[in-house]
Amino acid sequence: MIHYNKFSLDNGLRVIVHEDHTTPMAVLNVLYDVGARDEDPQRTGFAHLFEHLMFGGSVNIPDYDEPLQMAGGENNAFTTNDLTNYYITLPAENIETAFWLESDRMLSLAFSEKSLDVQRKVVSEEFKEHYINKPYGDVWHKMRELAYSTHPYRWMTIGKELSHIENATLKDVKAFFSKHYCPANAILVVGGKVTTAQVKALAQKWFGNIPSGEKYQRQLPVEPKQTSAHKLEVKANVPLDALYKCYHIYPRGDKRYYAADLVSDCTGRRQLQPPAPGTGKRKKAVQQHRVLPLWQYRRRPAYH
């Protein structure tokens, strides 16, 4: 069991602290309650694009990485359909550097056409490399469209269409930031060689004066119940045929979710087979799984 303390600032920022004095390190994590599901269907990929923009400098700190590296830290981030998450790991004695960096990003990014143009090109190339030019790259785009007819889970975090990213404007990203990136829509977690009293003081010092903003009220369309299998056959110029299956399961808040998740691990994860007789060598069983309606994805081999 992980023990933690929690409190909230007057501006609505929720803070969680986990003290672990067995390590010399500390981590500061900022989770924003916004993901791909919160995007306009005609402007998808913005949550992920914003993850990239957050490293382009903020209003008072033009270079995010340099001061963090000087403090012996490292950072990363990720975006899902449900959330966007940023984290910093560094020596505990330098934890205030992390508070300084993340609070300034939350206060305001250094919005510019140059920064947007750079990150727009980066994300566009990522889209092309992994989802257009790569064999089988469009599998999960097609899978999601089969699995969901109404709910915004029907598009990937990278975006539904490349044009949505290519056509993103500075006005669009400013509006997205002001709507979602504020204390009322964020959770700050600090863990490692810290004390709750220390974190309270630093949180108030660096985040306390940031305007609260409005808590985003999510009203997503309800996905109708699936009553029959969804199938799709696709032919493309790839090395081998591939078959993908996907199933809807219970939400994470349901106790039955954990049973389904365990079953998927047992049946779908890559596993080591028993040693072949007389060899002592194990072979890897190549399998993939996704827990989400049954469909088929067939591609024509490249030599056809």
Side-chain angles (χ1 to χ4, degrees):
M1 177 68 70
I2 296 177
H3 297 281
Y4 62 89
N5 298 309
K6 59 181 180 179
F7 59 91
S8 296
L9 301 184
D10 291 341
N11 59 12
L13 180 65
R14 291 157 286 173
V15 185
I16 297 174
V17 185
H18 169 59
E19 298 186 22
D20 181 0
H21 298 282
T22 66
T23 174
M25 305 298 289
V27 60
L28 184 146
N29 189 100
V30 181
L31 183 152
Y32 291 94
D33 187 14
V34 57
R37 62 177 173 171
D38 302 303
E39 297 165 343
D40 181 334
Q42 303 307 313
R43 291 185 176 90
T44 63
F46 268 59
H48 176 251
L49 173 63
F50 231 93
E51 177 198 323
H52 285 254
L53 287 170
M54 286 285 277
F55 293 95
S58 53
V59 61
N60 297 305
I61 308 172
D63 188 330
Y64 178 89
D65 287 321
E66 184 178 353
L68 180 59
Q69 291 170 354
M70 292 177 65
E74 57 184 28
N75 69 92
N76 214 326
F78 61 87
T79 308
T80 73
N81 289 84
D82 301 319
L83 58 88
T84 309
N85 196 72
Y86 304 86
Y87 57 93
I88 293 174
T89 305
L90 75 176
E93 61 264 29
N94 295 331
I95 188 64
E96 190 164 6
T97 299
F99 276 88
W100 170 59
L101 289 167
E102 287 302 330
S103 63
D104 205 62
R105 293 206 293 189
M106 186 182 291
L107 177 64
S108 181
L109 287 183
F111 293 104
S112 69
E113 289 288 355
K114 179 180 179 181
S115 176
L116 175 59
D117 186 54
V118 169
Q119 298 305 328
R120 190 168 44 203
K121 289 179 179 178
V122 169
V123 176
S124 294
E125 287 306 310
E126 181 181 345
F127 196 115
K128 293 174 184 176
E129 179 182 355
H130 294 290
Y131 303 100
I132 296 179
N133 299 331
K134 185 178 180 179
Y136 316 104
D138 58 350
V139 165
W140 297 111
H141 283 274
K142 296 181 183 300
M143 178 71 87
R144 285 181 175 273
E145 291 173 352
L146 279 177
Y148 300 100
S149 63
T150 306
H151 194 280
Y153 281 168
R154 68 183 184 274
W155 59 77
M156 301 275 288
T157 54
I158 192 72
K160 183 168 58 174
E161 297 178 16
L162 178 59
S163 61
H164 292 179
I165 299 302
E166 293 176 328
N167 298 329
T169 67
L170 197 59
K171 180 180 178 181
D172 292 333
V173 298
K174 283 184 176 181
F176 192 89
F177 181 86
S178 62
K179 181 177 181 179
H180 298 290
Y181 280 71
C182 61
N185 205 47
I187 300 173
L188 171 66
V189 179
V190 183
K193 193 177 181 180
V194 297
T195 65
T196 301
Q198 175 192 14
V199 173
K200 279 186 177 181
L202 290 173
Q204 183 59 46
K205 176 182 178 179
W206 291 105
F207 288 91
N209 292 328
I210 300 176
S212 173
E214 294 185 13
K215 181 69 178 79
Y216 173 60
Q217 300 299 318
R218 186 172 285 110
Q219 295 180 325
L220 302 178
V222 178
E223 180 70 22
K225 184 176 181 179
Q226 182 178 325
T227 58
S228 61
H230 296 175
K231 299 180 181 180
L232 177 67
E233 183 176 341
V234 177
K235 294 183 178 180
N237 186 23
V238 295
L240 298 169
D241 286 350
L243 175 67
Y244 296 82
K245 296 180 180 180
C246 214
Y247 303 89
H248 287 285
I249 63 169
Y250 304 102
R252 286 184 181 270
D254 191 303
K255 291 182 178 180
R256 294 170 293 182
Y257 167 84
Y258 302 100
D261 189 42
L262 180 59
V263 168
S264 71
D265 277 350
C266 293
T267 59
R269 293 287 185 187
R270 177 177 293 182
Q271 300 176 3
L272 288 174
Q273 297 176 341
T279 66
K281 297 181 179 180
R282 295 178 180 268
K283 296 181 178 179
K284 288 184 177 180
V286 181
Q287 291 180 315
Q288 286 187 337
H289 85 286
R290 280 295 190 279
V291 181
L292 270 156
L294 171 63
W295 70 301
Q296 187 181 27
Y297 196 96
R298 291 183 59 81
R299 291 171 173 265
R300 181 182 296 124
Y303 52 84
H304 277 197

